[in-house]
Amino acid sequence: MTTYPLMAMMQLGIVPPVTFPTDSRYYGYGVLNYTAPDGQVSAYLQRRIIPQPGAPNYATINQYTVVQGDRLDLIAAKYLGDPLMSWLIADANAAMRPWDLTATPGRVLAITTPQGVPGGPIA
């Protein structure tokens, strides 16, 4: 039996399960539960594997060369129209730690369409 009221309410269906918006990197992934031997239940996100960069997973629509002081959210806002889509740039450039993408000036980032969305040549 769980001692956390929120977890108990989720198990009873009083609180709906977590769903992620369509622009989230976790859209389509669920929240799973692990029950420890002592009966304690812990919620966790379903495992998400970063897709391999490049074709056929992503279509590169532009490239960006990092300059000192860049932030990934600002690059995403400029090229993708939404700072919350910075995860797409991280995925397309195979970054486990997104902040590494802007750590080195001169690095060239692929700006891509979401996985499965066709795109044109580099602009």
Side-chain angles (χ1 to χ4, degrees):
M1 181 173 174
T2 182
T3 59
Y4 298 103
L6 181 58
M7 185 63 68
M9 287 187 284
M10 287 176 68
Q11 290 171 340
L12 293 171
I14 298 169
V15 175
V18 175
T19 56
F20 295 95
T22 56
D23 64 350
S24 169
R25 80 185 321 176
Y26 295 104
Y27 176 73
Y29 289 83
V31 176
L32 304 176
N33 292 312
Y34 167 75
T35 304
D38 66 0
Q40 178 145 354
V41 178
S42 298
Y44 65 96
L45 287 175
Q46 184 177 3
R47 185 176 190 183
R48 179 181 180 274
I49 306 295
I50 297 174
Q52 290 294 312
N57 291 326
Y58 299 99
T60 300
I61 55 173
N62 210 332
Q63 291 182 333
Y64 177 77
T65 303
V66 173
V67 297
Q68 185 70 37
D70 266 340
R71 288 185 12 205
L72 198 56
D73 61 330
L74 298 178
I75 297 168
K78 179 178 179 178
Y79 287 94
L80 302 175
D82 184 350
L84 297 178
M85 295 298 287
S86 60
W87 65 267
L88 178 61
I89 297 172
D91 279 4
N93 290 276
M96 289 293 295
R97 297 183 309 231
W99 55 87
D100 286 349
L101 292 176
T102 55
T104 306
R107 179 174 182 163
V108 178
L109 302 179
I111 308 297
T112 68
T113 60
Q115 185 177 15
V117 176
I122 296 175

